[in-house]
Amino acid sequence: GEAGGEGVGGGEREREGERGGERAPGGEEGGPVFLSEMGGLRPGFVAGGGKDEKIESALYARISQQTFDEAVQENMDDLEMGPDEALQDAIEQFTSQGINLSNIVKRVPGADPEEDPAPIKLSRKLVEQLGELDNEASEEIMFGSGMMRLTFVTGEAQAAHAIGETAAALKKELQKHEDATTLAGANGAVDSLVSAALSLLRTEDAAPLVHVLECLTVLLMDAENRERLGIRGCAALCIVARTHASNGAQLRACFQAMRATMLVHEQHRQTLVKSGCVLKLAIDAMREHGKEKGWKEPGALLAACGVVRATTLADDARARTSKGHEHAKAAVDLGALPLLLDAARSSLASSPGPLSELLATLSRLTVTDQICQQLAKMDALRLAITELANHVMDCLLYTSDAADEEDS
């Protein structure tokens, strides 16, 4: 964070390609494809993921853009340096002092804004597009023990498509460079995308809202950006999930953003479960988008699995205690076990990817002897042994069934 122009930032080094999703072979024209775009598989999935290890935040000093620009200007005015020399000297001076400059646009003050990095320009464009909307609206949501009202602005269909296109372009830029998420977050992209999601809440076309939520998911893979989400962002995601409970594409994208929100963040995890009732939303989605629809919309179901697993993590070193086990028992009480077993025995589980998601979710819920006994009575052990035998050369199944697959 920044206070008075300077401060200390923090961001854990997240493993397994958490920034933007792990790349997998087989994209268009031989290029990469992100698993987050493959039928609801969680962003950043990699076989053999980590256990519930506590993740320590890496603290480092930060400065504001204003502080950096003033240092460059001082070099030019007082030391009579040329623009390029003044810029390079400021970078070297701050770096030598241990300042992390990943949130800084390294340019000479007064330079043409069009020369700024693409994530900055797209973040600004998103703010401008939201500023052009003029229809005020609001939504109320039961959040915690009371009602919360969120106020936002909406526009016509043409404006909605423009916002969606900007979010899609920003997402592509964020996936290109690691520092792009920090730059975009420092320039208000998280809040802008939350506002954009609310403004697109009632649009008939699913694409704009999906683009916005997927872009937000990529941003939230960064630890500092998760801190910027806040209560308003958590409540906005809950509103989107409830509004689009029957719409597979929007719900899938929303659940992926929720999952990213809860990674290495116990406070968000408890807020979404206790105040936002996210476990009930996820279990209801498994029921509605699974057997009831003949397994034809697996994206929302698999994304719901990711949400359930994220609620059971105990990976935040800042939290003295975790309610992961309580959340796992709550998911079982809501009826998760038979839904997951039905899915694991269906045509949805014919490929290793979805099957590993389902088995991984089951393994995260086995936190008590009573739950294990319930699974035994449902013949889950026979299912696990059969599928392991069917996929003896597939490490994806072995790691997920060992309950060690969840990334942090």
Side-chain angles (χ1 to χ4, degrees):
E2 296 174 1
E6 300 183 15
V8 176
E12 64 273 0
R13 288 186 177 276
E14 295 167 333
R15 304 163 308 188
E16 305 175 22
E18 280 288 7
R19 294 182 181 274
E22 188 68 18
R23 296 180 184 271
E28 294 182 5
E29 299 181 0
V33 62
F34 284 82
L35 289 178
S36 58
E37 300 169 356
M38 295 172 60
L41 295 183
R42 65 192 185 279
F45 175 81
V46 175
K51 302 178 183 180
D52 282 3
E53 299 172 355
K54 299 290 185 180
I55 306 298
E56 296 282 353
S57 294
L59 298 180
Y60 37 73
R62 287 281 201 205
I63 61 171
S64 67
Q65 185 70 49
Q66 181 182 355
T67 300
F68 181 82
D69 290 345
E70 289 174 352
V72 177
Q73 191 65 49
E74 183 179 337
N75 283 344
M76 292 190 292
D77 295 343
D78 297 348
L79 303 179
E80 299 182 350
M81 293 182 181
D84 292 340
E85 183 184 4
L87 177 63
Q88 187 60 37
D89 180 77
I91 294 173
E92 292 175 357
Q93 289 295 327
F94 284 123
T95 302
S96 67
Q97 297 171 27
I99 305 297
N100 187 304
L101 298 177
S102 61
N103 65 316
I104 298 298
V105 181
K106 302 172 184 65
R107 55 171 167 75
V108 176
D112 186 354
E114 290 301 316
E115 296 180 1
D116 287 344
I120 303 297
K121 292 191 289 184
L122 289 168
S123 297
R124 289 196 199 116
K125 184 177 180 180
L126 191 59
V127 172
E128 293 171 0
Q129 290 173 329
L130 290 170
E132 294 172 357
L133 304 179
D134 53 9
N135 298 325
E136 187 171 304
S138 64
E139 291 280 344
E140 283 192 348
I141 181 176
M142 188 69 184
F143 203 74
S145 58
M147 299 296 295
M148 177 182 287
R149 178 187 291 272
L150 297 183
T151 303
F152 49 94
V153 289
T154 63
E156 302 298 329
Q158 185 176 357
H161 282 92
I163 291 173
E165 290 174 359
T166 301
L170 178 57
K171 174 191 169 186
K172 290 182 180 179
E173 292 297 328
L174 296 178
Q175 291 174 325
K176 288 180 181 178
H177 306 289
E178 186 173 310
D179 288 344
T181 55
T182 304
L183 275 175
N187 283 268
V190 174
D191 188 60
S192 295
L193 287 167
V194 169
S195 297
L198 290 170
S199 72
L200 301 176
L201 187 65
R202 303 292 180 179
T203 54
E204 294 183 3
D205 187 0
L209 180 56
V210 169
H211 289 319
V212 166
L213 292 170
E214 287 181 346
C215 184
L216 181 61
T217 299
V218 176
L219 271 179
L220 293 176
M221 293 302 181
D222 179 84
E224 287 182 274
N225 288 334
R226 281 198 290 274
E227 299 298 332
R228 296 182 172 106
L229 185 67
I231 295 294
R232 179 175 181 265
C234 291
L237 290 175
C238 292
I239 287 177
V240 173
R242 295 180 189 185
T243 302
H244 293 283
S246 299
N247 301 324
Q250 295 98 316
L251 190 60
R252 171 192 61 78
C254 184
F255 277 160
Q256 288 182 338
M258 281 184 171
R259 176 187 171 274
T261 298
M262 291 185 281
L263 293 176
V264 202
H265 207 299
E266 185 65 23
Q267 182 178 345
H268 281 172
R269 199 174 290 138
Q270 294 189 24
T271 296
L272 286 171
V273 172
K274 183 178 179 180
S275 300
C277 300
V278 69
L279 275 174
K280 185 178 186 305
L281 291 173
I283 302 303
D284 287 346
M286 290 181 187
R287 185 175 293 109
E288 180 173 350
H289 295 275
K291 190 174 183 179
E292 290 184 6
K293 292 190 177 180
W295 316 108
K296 294 180 180 179
E297 294 185 1
L301 187 153
L302 295 176
C305 288
V307 168
V308 171
R309 286 196 310 276
T311 66
T312 68
L313 291 174
D315 55 0
D316 191 349
R318 298 168 297 180
R320 292 184 177 181
T321 59
S322 169
K323 292 191 175 182
H325 280 198
E326 294 179 27
H327 296 163
K329 289 186 285 186
V332 172
D333 291 340
L334 288 168
L337 297 184
L339 296 174
L340 290 167
L341 286 172
D342 283 347
R345 293 178 174 124
S346 72
S347 58
L348 174 62
S350 58
S351 59
L355 179 58
S356 68
E357 292 279 307
L358 297 167
L359 294 178
T361 308
L362 280 168
S363 69
R364 295 293 312 182
L365 300 182
T366 54
V367 295
T368 67
D369 288 343
Q370 184 180 8
I371 294 174
C372 292
Q373 290 171 8
Q374 289 182 48
L375 284 171
K377 292 178 181 178
M378 297 176 185
D379 211 17
L381 184 58
R382 184 189 301 274
L383 170 67
I385 294 174
T386 300
E387 293 301 340
L388 287 175
N390 292 340
H391 299 272
V392 67
M393 300 301 293
D394 196 334
C395 66
L396 207 65
L397 268 294
Y398 277 89
T399 53
S400 67
D401 204 46
D404 291 341
E405 56 74 43
E406 184 61 59
D407 49 317
S408 298

